[in-house]
Amino acid sequence: MEVNMFCRVDRNGRDGTGLVPISHDVTDTAVAGAEKPMAHTAFVDVTGRFTAGVWACDAGTLKIRNLTVDEACYLIEGTVVITDLAGNSETYNAGEGFVLRRGFSGTWHMPVGIRKYNAMHNPEGGMGPLEG
């Protein structure tokens, strides 16, 4: 069996059919809005430690407690304001990328709905697909 050595990460989900509704990660708590997260996991490596895909959510704020992954993000749509527990804050807009490090705690505020590409690494593995 031949294995394809590349895969498309479509901003609109598998074959452009749309993103799938999901629950927030266990480290995330919605404190205002952010009621409709959606995702498409395009790739999971054989160890379950690395994934790549697309995530979207309506406007709102998430409280993140001890993020379990390193996550590289590239905003396709919207704005995100990330604030750590010490009060340090950065604003990212569509077209910008950033990395959240494993262990991050703070808030993830979306003044408008967002859509992002993301790649996540969990050294402990077991992430698996984020949608069914």
Side-chain angles (χ1 to χ4, degrees), residues 16-71:
T17 59
L19 304 182
V20 177
I22 61 165
S23 298
H24 285 296
D25 187 271
V26 295
T27 63
D28 302 348
T29 303
V31 293
E35 297 172 353
K36 298 176 183 168
M38 301 181 79
H40 164 60
T41 302
F43 175 80
V44 179
D45 80 340
V46 296
T47 69
R49 292 185 175 130
F50 178 78
T51 65
V54 180
W55 186 86
C57 193
D58 55 311
T61 302
L62 299 171
K63 181 177 180 179
I64 301 173
R65 186 172 296 127
N66 195 22
L67 188 66
T68 60
V69 298
D70 290 306
E71 180 177 7

